[in-house]
Amino acid sequence: MYYNFIDFRKAYDRVWHDGLWNVMRKYNFEERSNQTIDALYGRPNSTVLVNDQLGTPFNTTVGVIQGCIISPMLFNIFLESIMQDVLEDYHTSISIGGQPLSNLRFADDIDLLAGTEPELRDLTNRRAECASHYRMS
């Protein structure tokens, strides 16, 4: 069995907002929920404090809000959409109890599984390509 362990660095900080809104529509979130979350994130500004001086504000278009109770859910649906795209029309050679198994996931860590090296290379390339569409490469 071949494995590829992937840890998205600073994954929560890299969730692309416009991509997230698209994912929420894809999963048929109620539009009212989408609007509420969009208002919460609504074109936030960030400012850097250096030596007690505030810098110039700039728009933040990525990342979920640290400490927000819905941030883990938003990240999970974002990553789930990426992995659904990765696994679309993919057939793994590994099964346990008759169930196909191609990946294990925990938070922002993914373990890709394959029965051969070329199969793992294909799965890894699929993951990289799909993640780049969501700006998570």
Side-chain angles (χ1 to χ4, degrees), residues 30 82 120 133:
E30 291 182 14
I82 292 171
L120 182 62
H133 289 263

Side-chain angles (χ1 to χ4, degrees), residues 42-90:
R43 313 299 176 255
N45 289 320
S46 298
T47 306
V48 178
L49 179 66
V50 178
N51 297 327
D52 295 326
Q53 295 285 321
L54 282 177
T56 306
F58 56 92
N59 288 336
T60 307
T61 60
V62 296
V64 291
I65 298 170
Q66 299 297 318
C68 178
I69 196 166
I70 64 171
S71 291
M73 180 202 62
L74 295 174
F75 175 78
N76 285 338
I77 66 165
F78 194 70
L79 185 58
E80 179 62 26
S81 187
I82 292 171
M83 289 305 296
Q84 277 189 354
D85 289 356
V86 169
L87 299 173
E88 186 176 333
D89 297 324
Y90 179 77

Side-chain angles (χ1 to χ4, degrees), residues 85-130:
D85 289 356
V86 169
L87 299 173
E88 186 176 333
D89 297 324
Y90 179 77
H91 303 287
T92 182
S93 64
I94 297 174
S95 68
I96 295 178
Q99 294 296 315
L101 182 64
S102 62
N103 69 93
L104 301 171
R105 294 180 241 164
F106 180 76
D108 62 343
D109 299 322
I110 300 171
D111 180 9
L112 300 178
L113 311 168
T116 66
E117 189 175 332
E119 182 182 349
L120 182 62
R121 191 175 311 113
D122 176 50
L123 188 56
T124 299
N125 289 339
R126 284 168 167 261
R127 199 269 334 149
E129 182 181 329
C130 291

Side-chain angles (χ1 to χ4, degrees), residues 24 28-39:
M24 291 170 61
N28 297 316
F29 275 59
E30 291 182 14
E31 193 57 34
R32 191 166 135 187
S33 297
N34 293 349
Q35 291 169 353
T36 301
I37 294 169
D38 187 33

